[in-house]
Amino acid sequence: MVFYLCSDKNDEMMIDQLLAHRTIRKYAEKHVEDSLLRKILEAGCRASTTGNMQLYSIIITRDEAGKKALAPCHFNQPMVVNASVVLTFCADFNRFNKWCKLRNAEPGYDNFLSFVTAAIDALLVAQNVTVAAESEGLGVCYLGTTTYLAAKIIDILKLPAGVVPVTTLTIGWPDENPEQVDRLPLDSVVHQETYKDYTDEEIRSAWCEKENRADSRMFVAENNKETLAQVFTDIRYKKNDNVVFSNMLLEVLEKQGFMNQ
Ligand SMILES: Cc1cc2nc3c(=O)[nH]c(=O)nc-3n(C[C@H](O)[C@H](O)[C@H](O)COP(=O)(O)O)c2cc1C
């Protein structure tokens, strides 16, 4: 027997909303009401979660002082201080470990696998929160910088062992309506039954549209690069930076008790 949880009309509205997604980085000076935030968080926490353990915590930052403290951890991206709400999503085994100990059960979660498990839980909630927020007309921006300077965020948000921030969302009422950005063609990212590795021609074809967009060409020219790929490798996501931040994150995982101790 098949149970339909949504009507066809609601299904279509949901798909339309997902297809209309765009990151919002400019927010109006308008408060997101607590009741609305709570509704969005309730919906977010309905995301599937490993073993129904809910291995995440969400830290709400609303105070100006809190946002100002967090801003440098996100390389002073203006969204942090301008958004009505900043949410830091953390992989969290602390709460579950405490429950186990209280109930005479020995937790075995001080390992890397458990971090990945909890990080997946946290990211699923973050994406549910994103979809819920957008359905209410709010704008959202993820901040990948969370895992770069996680140690500082841990200090500021007073995160105990077993808790690691994995992503941040800034949320507010949109004050811009940006053009949608491109995606690779669906057939370039979907494989039938097994992974089909790419020929050079398929790689060229996958990136063709993106490389020929006016904004991409502008990026390349502005940065004095030969190709769009070089903008990524030489400017946006450089190897040296990746290695430095990677080592910092490994130290954080060790300190927070996720390195097979
Ligand atoms: C994990 C993650 C981290 C991101 N980090 C940042 C960020 O630090 N700053 C920013 O302006 N946008 C950030 N973004 C937004 C992406 O740049 C954006 O999703 C992408 O360019 C596609 O644009 P769209 O969301 O409008 O489709 C991040 C997105 C994700 C999923």
Side-chain angles (χ1 to χ4, degrees):
M1 190 183 289
V2 178
F3 294 94
Y4 292 98
L5 294 177
C6 297
S7 71
D8 285 354
K9 189 159 172 272
N10 283 342
D11 274 356
E12 260 174 47
M13 281 165 60
M14 175 57 84
I15 298 269
D16 285 349
Q17 185 204 310
L18 292 172
L19 288 172
H21 161 79
R22 55 205 72 194
T23 289
I24 299 295
R25 299 181 174 86
K26 275 185 162 179
Y27 305 105
E29 275 184 38
K30 186 178 162 196
H31 188 72
V32 174
E33 292 297 324
D34 281 338
S35 55
L36 179 57
L37 178 60
R38 206 174 165 78
K39 184 176 168 190
I40 289 162
L41 291 172
E42 291 272 10
C45 291
R46 269 288 140 202
S48 293
T49 151
T50 310
N52 208 6
M53 292 185 283
Q54 294 192 262
L55 303 170
Y56 52 80
S57 281
I58 307 158
I59 319 292
I60 302 174
T61 305
R62 276 219 187 255
D63 287 351
E64 290 306 306
K67 290 181 200 165
K68 281 189 179 145
L70 281 178
C73 306
H74 297 289
F75 303 117
N76 293 312
Q77 295 189 79
M79 299 80 86
V80 179
V81 285
N82 294 341
S84 178
V85 184
V86 178
L87 300 177
T88 306
F89 293 83
C90 306
D92 183 356
F93 252 108
N94 174 51
R95 184 175 58 244
F96 194 76
N97 286 342
K98 287 202 153 142
W99 176 64
C100 290
K101 286 178 184 159
L102 208 58
R103 295 296 180 225
N104 201 24
E106 190 50 44
Y109 309 119
D110 47 2
N111 46 64
F112 187 64
L113 180 72
S114 298
F115 166 69
V116 173
T117 303
I120 291 171
D121 266 19
L123 294 173
L124 293 177
V125 174
Q127 183 56 17
N128 252 27
V129 166
T130 296
V131 172
E134 289 179 347
S135 79
E136 294 288 335
L138 291 162
V140 163
C141 182
Y142 275 96
L143 300 180
T145 33
T146 311
T147 43
Y148 289 28
L149 297 178
K152 276 189 168 188
I153 296 175
I154 286 170
D155 281 349
I156 291 167
L157 300 180
K158 302 189 191 329
L159 307 180
V163 186
V164 175
V166 290
T167 200
T168 300
L169 285 178
T170 58
I171 305 184
W173 295 105
D175 194 25
E176 63 172 348
N177 185 16
E179 287 264 317
Q180 251 197 332
V181 301
D182 61 292
R183 290 290 189 267
L184 296 176
L186 189 63
D187 289 335
S188 301
V189 298
V190 175
H191 302 253
Q192 301 293 340
E193 311 300 340
T194 58
Y195 190 97
K196 186 173 167 295
D197 207 354
Y198 301 89
T199 61
D200 286 357
E201 192 41 47
E202 283 164 342
I203 294 290
R204 273 189 214 102
S205 150
W207 262 272
C208 178
E209 198 188 321
K210 199 188 276 282
E211 287 178 332
N212 285 307
R213 283 170 65 101
D215 53 350
S216 299
R217 287 176 178 278
M218 203 178 72
F219 255 161
V220 176
E222 272 175 0
N223 289 296
N224 277 326
K225 291 290 157 193
E226 286 165 23
T227 68
L228 183 62
Q230 288 177 356
V231 177
F232 285 84
T233 58
D234 302 358
I235 293 171
R236 295 188 67 188
Y237 304 100
K238 289 188 281 201
K239 175 168 174 134
N240 281 356
D241 293 348
N242 290 341
V243 171
V244 167
F245 290 124
S246 200
N247 284 329
M248 285 164 71
L249 184 58
L250 286 169
E251 270 176 35
V252 163
L253 294 184
E254 175 96 44
K255 186 166 160 256
Q256 298 305 89
F258 279 116
M259 288 303 267
N260 304 335
Q261 281 104 333

